[in-house]
Amino acid sequence: GGIIKEGCQVLVGKNVPLEVLQQCALEKKASELFECDDVLGVEGEPTLVKGMKETFDDYDAENSRIASAALILLQFILTQKKLEYGGDVRLIMPAEILEGVKIRPPCRFEEMDIPTTIEADDGSIIQKNVRVILDVAHNPQAMDYLIVKLRASYPHSSDQRIVVGMSADKDLKYCTELLLDNVPHPNKLHLVEASHPRAASISSILEANHKLVESHYDTPQKDELNENGRDVSSVSKQVRQALKLAAMNDELLVICGSVFIMADAREELGIVEARDSAVIAEVAGAGLRNSQENFGDGNKGGMK
């Protein structure tokens, strides 16, 4: 309720404490409060996904529904203003809204094929495409949902390799157990740590779940860590290794967990995108390379 503004309309999804937000909207003198059904009509049977411990709505479908309702409300407001001031009115058609909300933000079950060069059994150099899924599933419920969506979207891809990095304040034991249940052996997992101070270190992940000692992870020397005790090359090295192994074994590669690992992961995959300048990064995050929570050498230590 902290973002509700006086004189502005409020749109809420169905998984919120409605009465609480209605009271917030009243106290902050919002003009109106809408639910999606008020704008789009009553929804049919919601899309459900079944997790390990619970059944829940398809968040992706619900987010698209909220976005559709928001666009219709915004269009209504802007049309009123244009008519008031004599401007030209150009309505967004329902088909355009439907097409627009299909676009997914980066790292929300983002799918791509990455060309990867490997050495074949006969010694020749070949290139194979690896299907990669990027998803910022970073808590137990989101991780559970990711596993369900992977099974639904790739029912015949039983061979998976997973790169995962977490934030320190998450349930590391439960999240990693979910991932271990989805692969045949811990060596299908690659553990990484971001350089951000809120990221979980490799040692803390291993301490939370001792089964992961058989997974892939880096063991850098102390003098190779940054001022926060983090291995800044952890993500890039493990993504690179996982990509090659996935290509060799015809595996689906999933990169998931904290948003803090995604900028480095995407860069290693060859995705070039803008980052904050060094000055902004220093102010926002004590000089950390990936201090912002968005998306945007040599042989250091051992690699397991």
Side-chain angles (χ1 to χ4, degrees):
I3 63 172
I4 295 176
K5 301 293 187 294
E6 181 177 345
C8 294
Q9 295 176 329
V10 179
L11 175 67
V12 298
K14 60 186 177 182
N15 297 311
V16 298
L18 181 59
E19 292 184 1
V20 173
L21 290 179
Q22 285 174 329
Q23 184 61 34
C24 285
L26 183 64
E27 292 173 356
K28 296 190 176 185
K29 300 179 181 179
S31 60
E32 295 173 279
L33 184 142
F34 296 93
E35 297 178 77
C36 287
D37 287 355
D38 299 327
V39 182
L40 302 174
V42 178
E43 183 183 18
E45 287 297 317
T47 304
L48 300 176
V49 289
K50 184 174 176 56
M52 290 179 62
K53 294 190 174 181
E54 59 181 321
T55 298
F56 45 85
D57 292 347
D58 186 333
Y59 294 144
D60 205 39
E62 174 64 10
N63 288 341
S64 294
R65 183 170 169 81
I66 294 171
S68 297
L71 285 170
I72 291 172
L73 284 174
L74 184 60
Q75 178 172 237
F76 180 74
I77 295 169
L78 294 177
T79 299
Q80 283 184 315
K81 289 186 176 181
K82 286 185 176 182
L83 290 174
E84 182 180 349
Y85 293 103
D88 294 331
V89 175
R90 195 275 190 187
L91 296 178
I92 305 174
M93 304 308 293
E96 294 175 309
I97 291 177
L98 183 62
E99 188 65 27
V101 298
K102 288 180 182 177
I103 300 172
R104 302 268 66 79
C107 302
R108 268 73 170 184
F109 208 81
E110 183 180 12
E111 302 167 280
M112 60 186 71
D113 291 318
I114 302 298
T116 305
T117 302
I118 58 172
E119 183 177 345
D121 293 337
D122 61 3
S124 63
I125 302 300
I126 61 174
Q127 190 175 77
K128 297 178 70 174
N129 277 338
V130 176
R131 173 52 60 101
V132 178
I133 311 293
L134 293 163
D135 195 283
V136 286
H138 61 284
N139 58 40
Q141 192 175 34
M143 198 70 77
D144 195 3
Y145 175 69
L146 171 62
I147 297 301
V148 171
K149 190 154 187 175
L150 282 169
R151 290 172 181 167
S153 302
Y154 295 91
H156 305 299
S157 295
S158 56
D159 293 330
Q160 296 178 10
R161 185 167 296 276
I162 302 175
V163 177
V164 59
M166 303 294 295
S167 294
D169 60 345
K170 305 306 178 188
D171 189 337
L172 304 179
K173 170 72 171 176
Y174 184 83
C175 287
T176 52
E177 279 295 337
L178 284 174
L179 296 178
L180 285 168
D181 286 342
N182 198 54
V183 294
H185 192 276
N187 65 11
K188 296 291 186 178
L189 296 186
H190 295 249
L191 308 181
V192 300
E193 62 181 30
S195 57
H196 199 283
R198 286 170 50 196
S201 64
I202 296 296
S203 59
S204 64
I205 299 174
L206 292 172
E207 185 177 349
N209 196 328
H210 298 298
K211 299 176 189 176
L212 295 171
V213 70
E214 297 181 78
S215 63
H216 297 267
Y217 52 88
D218 297 308
T219 54
Q221 300 300 313
K222 187 175 181 180
D223 60 356
E224 296 169 340
L225 305 177
N226 69 2
E227 63 271 22
N228 296 300
R230 298 290 191 269
D231 177 11
V232 296
S233 62
S234 167
V235 177
S236 59
K237 285 190 290 187
Q238 287 299 329
V239 168
R240 192 181 315 130
Q241 184 189 36
L243 199 59
K244 288 189 176 182
L245 288 172
M248 292 170 60
N249 299 310
D250 294 318
E251 296 167 325
L252 178 71
L253 177 58
V254 181
I255 303 173
C256 63
S258 171
V259 67
F260 298 132
I261 75 169
M262 290 302 175
D264 286 332
R266 290 168 70 82
E267 184 175 287
E268 186 59 40
L269 294 174
I271 302 170
V272 179
E273 51 198 355
R275 289 178 183 255
D276 284 347
S277 69
V279 174
I280 294 175
E282 185 171 358
V283 172
L288 296 173
R289 176 170 177 242
N290 53 349
S291 60
Q292 67 273 29
E293 292 191 50
N294 58 21
F295 311 110
D297 315 315
N299 184 19
K300 294 186 177 181
M303 179 178 286
K304 182 176 177 181

